[in-house]
Structure formats: C-alpha cells, structure tokens
Amino acid sequence: MLIGPYVNGVAVIVGGLLGSLVGKRIPERVKVALPLTFGLCSVGLGINLVIKVKFMPAVVLAMVLGAVIGEAFFLEKQIGRAAGTTRGLINRVFPPVQGLSHDEFTEKFVAILVLFCASGTGIFGAMHEGMTGDPSILYIKTVLDLFTAAIFATMLGFSVMTIGLPLIAVQVALATLAVYILHMITPNMMGDFSCAGGLIMVATGLRICNIKPFPVANMLPGLVLVMPFSALWAKLFA
C-alpha cells in the first residue's frame, strides 16, 4: 500500500494553509531570504542527482527533444493558464493575494508546481516506493515541502494548497508504473533518469532565485524520453 505520495501531498496542503493564514506575521526579509535558500537547495539536490549519470549523450538528447516537444505544445503556457484559472477559483473562496500581477503569480506558481511535482527527489522517491515499498525518500521530501509550501504561500496565498492534488496524482501514477516496468529498468537507466530530473531541479532552483527564467515545464517531456534513450544508447554504443 502506497503511503509516501499521500503524506507528501497532505504536507503541501497543510503548509500552504498555514503559510496563507500567518503570512502577514512573517517579516518581509524572511519571505525574501527563504525562497532563495530553497532555490539553492534545489540546485544542490539537482547536482547530486546529475552526477549519477551513465550515458550523458542520451540524457542531453532526451532533454533537447523533450524541450522541443514542450515548446511545440506550449506546455508551460498551458500550465500557466491552469494556474490563472486556479487563482480565480481560489479567490472566490479565500481572500485574494495582494501585490502580485498575473504574470508574477504565474511565474512563481509554475516554478513551485514543477519543484513539488516534478523534482528528481519526488519522481525517484515515488518510483522507489513503488519498486521496494520503502517511502523513506518521500518522507524526507515531505519535511522540505511542508516548509517550502508555507513560505511560498505567504506570497501566493491559498493557491499553493491546490498543488498537493496533482502532486499526489503524479506520484501515485509513477509508483504504480514502477511496479510494471521494474523488470525493464537497469541501474544505468535509473542513473540517467536521475540526471535528467537533476537538470530540471537545477533549472528550477535558478528560476526560483531569479537568476534565469528557464521554461522548466517545457523540459518535462525529457523525463519520459530519457529511459528509452538510455537503453537504446547502451545497446548501440556501450
């Protein structure tokens, strides 16, 4: 029975709720400093995953083609529209967030949506639990996500709570899928998969720190391509 995805999703919902309720009591310097710290941690975790790579050319090819697919289907723009719709629905129930334009809200919302739902730690942790039944990796992510959601909710409001639902859906799907593809996955494929997730985490961290606005959502198709490409590369060139 899966536990980790649900615990992780609830942590985001609770963190988003607490951050929205007490946001006005948190000093502005803390609201500015902590997201930078989270961005730096995302970069660090990403680097830690990138070094697990086995066939870097396969990863690069998967990420490039994945980005082309994401750009062709305007994936980030579609997520941004969904974020705007979510904000409108939330504002009908809860007090709206003041001081953020639509573009600023979308920019931050998409970044943390990818950070929560498509981080290498979450994807690997969900697949790891599906394969072994061990939710420990997702428990570590849960602790980080609780505080991350709370801080971002001080800026984005109650909308952050909604990210818990797609997070649960993504992780449950990955954990279930892992059970069926376990016999086909090699350590090299998992290493290249971790590398691709790590690259996205580095891009997300740089985006959160306002260093470079990488279109991280458009990179997500690369995660689907990287394992097949890794297996093909190993068969043809290794």
Side-chain angles (χ1 to χ4, degrees), residues 88-172:
L89 294 174
I90 292 294
N91 287 348
R92 294 179 183 178
V93 181
F94 298 102
V97 177
Q98 304 296 331
L100 276 182
S101 68
H102 175 75
D103 290 341
E104 290 173 331
F105 175 86
T106 300
E107 173 78 15
K108 294 182 182 298
F109 188 89
V110 170
I112 63 170
L113 178 67
V114 173
L115 178 65
F116 285 133
C117 297
S119 71
T121 306
I123 291 172
F124 181 75
M127 295 185 71
H128 179 76
E129 183 175 358
M131 294 175 186
T132 66
D134 177 16
S136 59
I137 296 176
L138 288 182
Y139 285 166
I140 295 172
K141 183 176 183 293
T142 294
V143 175
L144 294 174
D145 286 357
L146 176 65
F147 293 100
T148 305
I151 290 300
F152 279 106
T154 64
M155 296 180 289
L156 303 180
F158 293 96
S159 297
V160 174
M161 295 169 55
T162 64
I163 297 177
L165 300 179
L167 183 148
I168 293 173
V170 168
Q171 291 186 359
V172 168

Side-chain angles (χ1 to χ4, degrees), residues 31-219:
K31 296 181 184 179
V32 173
L34 285 187
L36 295 176
T37 303
F38 295 143
L40 181 61
C41 289
S42 180
V43 171
L45 289 170
I47 292 172
N48 186 57
L49 292 172
V50 166
I51 62 176
K52 297 180 180 181
V53 67
K54 178 61 178 180
F55 302 119
M56 194 65 190
V59 175
V60 171
L61 184 59
M63 295 302 293
V64 170
L65 291 181
V68 170
I69 293 171
E71 293 288 347
F73 286 93
F74 301 99
L75 188 57
E76 180 148 324
K77 184 178 291 186
Q78 299 298 332
I79 294 176
R81 288 176 180 173
T85 302
T86 299
R87 185 186 191 186
L89 294 174
I90 292 294
N91 287 348
R92 294 179 183 178
V93 181
F94 298 102
V97 177
Q98 304 296 331
L100 276 182
S101 68
H102 175 75
D103 290 341
E104 290 173 331
F105 175 86
T106 300
E107 173 78 15
K108 294 182 182 298
F109 188 89
V110 170
I112 63 170
L113 178 67
V114 173
L115 178 65
F116 285 133
C117 297
S119 71
T121 306
I123 291 172
F124 181 75
M127 295 185 71
H128 179 76
E129 183 175 358
M131 294 175 186
T132 66
D134 177 16
S136 59
I137 296 176
L138 288 182
Y139 285 166
I140 295 172
K141 183 176 183 293
T142 294
V143 175
L144 294 174
D145 286 357
L146 176 65
F147 293 100
T148 305
I151 290 300
F152 279 106
T154 64
M155 296 180 289
L156 303 180
F158 293 96
S159 297
V160 174
M161 295 169 55
T162 64
I163 297 177
L165 300 179
L167 183 148
I168 293 173
V170 168
Q171 291 186 359
V172 168
L174 287 171
T176 304
L177 178 64
V179 175
Y180 294 102
I181 66 174
L182 176 60
H183 65 284
M184 296 184 292
I185 297 177
T186 66
N188 290 341
M189 292 168 63
M190 183 57 72
D192 290 346
F193 181 79
S194 296
C195 176
L199 290 173
I200 291 178
M201 287 193 69
V202 170
T204 301
L206 294 176
R207 179 169 176 165
I208 291 174
C209 292
N210 295 318
I211 296 175
K212 185 69 176 179
F214 285 97
V216 288
N218 288 340
M219 300 178 183

